[in-house]
Amino acid sequence: AKATTRPYAARAPSGVLELDIRQTYYDVAAHDYPTLMRALAAKGPRGFHGMAGWKVEYRFTVNRQPAGCAVDAVHVRVTGEILMPRWTDAANGPGDLQRRWSDYIAALQRHEDGHIQHGREFALLVKERLMGIGRVGCEVLPTLAQREYDRLFANLRSRDQEYDARTGHGRTQGAYFAPP
C-alpha cells in the first residue's frame, strides 16, 4: 500500500466568548395591588414590567497564506442588560401580596433571562460560523463574515420576537401578576 500524507494546520482556529450582562432595577412603591400595578405601569420600560436587551460584537484575526485567507481567531463580546422592578416597601404590603410578588418576580426573571440566552446562543453561532468560513480570497473575507453575522442576527431577532409571542411576554411562564 502506498502511504499518503495530508497536511494539517499546525493550529486550529480559536475563539473567545466574553459576556457582560448587567442587572438593573427601577423602584416601585405601593401598599396594595392596585397601587403596585399603577407604579409598574408608570415606571416600567415601554409598557412592560421587565426588559432584557443584548448586543453582540465580534472581531477576528486572519491567517494569510498564498492560497487565501482564513479566520484564525474570533473574539465575540455579548453585552446586555436586564431591567427589573424592585418593590421598595414590600415589607409594608400584605403577606399574600408579598408571596405573589416573589413568585411573579422569579417568573419574570426567568423570562428575561431567556432573552439574554438568545444573545448568548447568537454569539456562539457567530463564533462557530466565522471560524468555519474556510480559506477564501483575502479581500472577500470581511464581507463574508459580515454577511454571516447579519444572516444569523436576522434569525435570532425573529426567534426573540417569536419567544415573546409564544410566551405572551412571559405570561405563560408564570410572569403574570394577576389581581388577588
Side-chain angles (χ1 to χ4, degrees):
K2 184 177 179 183
T4 59
T5 60
R6 181 174 178 179
Y8 287 94
R11 189 167 74 85
S14 64
V16 173
L17 176 61
E18 180 184 348
L19 299 170
D20 180 15
I21 309 300
R22 290 178 288 137
Q23 178 111 2
T24 57
Y25 298 90
Y26 66 94
D27 292 338
V28 292
H31 60 279
D32 61 12
Y33 178 82
T35 309
L36 188 53
M37 292 305 291
R38 282 193 299 275
L40 289 168
K43 293 187 172 187
R46 292 191 272 170
F48 299 104
H49 295 175
M51 183 155 297
W54 49 264
K55 181 170 96 173
V56 174
E57 300 169 307
Y58 72 93
R59 64 182 189 275
F60 59 89
T61 59
V62 176
N63 176 343
R64 294 181 180 274
Q65 298 287 323
C69 290
V71 172
D72 187 49
V74 178
H75 182 110
V76 182
R77 183 167 194 256
V78 180
T79 55
E81 179 180 11
I82 298 174
L83 177 61
M84 294 284 291
R86 178 175 40 214
W87 186 11
T88 56
D89 55 351
N92 297 328
D96 178 57
L97 188 57
Q98 290 176 33
R99 282 186 297 282
R100 291 179 39 245
W101 174 262
S102 180
D103 292 344
Y104 169 68
I105 288 301
L108 183 60
Q109 182 72 54
R110 279 190 304 277
H111 176 76
E112 300 307 339
D113 286 344
H115 285 293
I116 296 299
Q117 182 60 29
H118 293 162
R120 287 182 184 122
E121 291 169 8
F122 172 62
L124 288 170
L125 284 171
V126 166
K127 183 173 71 77
E128 176 185 296
R129 297 288 172 83
L130 295 186
M131 290 177 9
I133 287 177
R135 193 159 304 282
V136 297
C138 296
E139 69 283 351
V140 299
L141 184 57
T143 302
L144 290 174
Q146 187 62 47
R147 189 177 302 148
E148 190 63 19
Y149 176 93
D150 292 343
R151 186 180 68 78
L152 291 169
F153 182 74
N155 288 340
L156 257 293
R157 184 174 42 195
S158 295
R159 183 175 174 199
D160 221 29
Q161 292 167 347
E162 182 275 330
Y163 173 68
D164 272 337
R166 180 173 36 86
T167 65
H169 292 274
R171 281 190 169 95
T172 62
Q173 296 169 303
Y176 177 65
F177 196 46

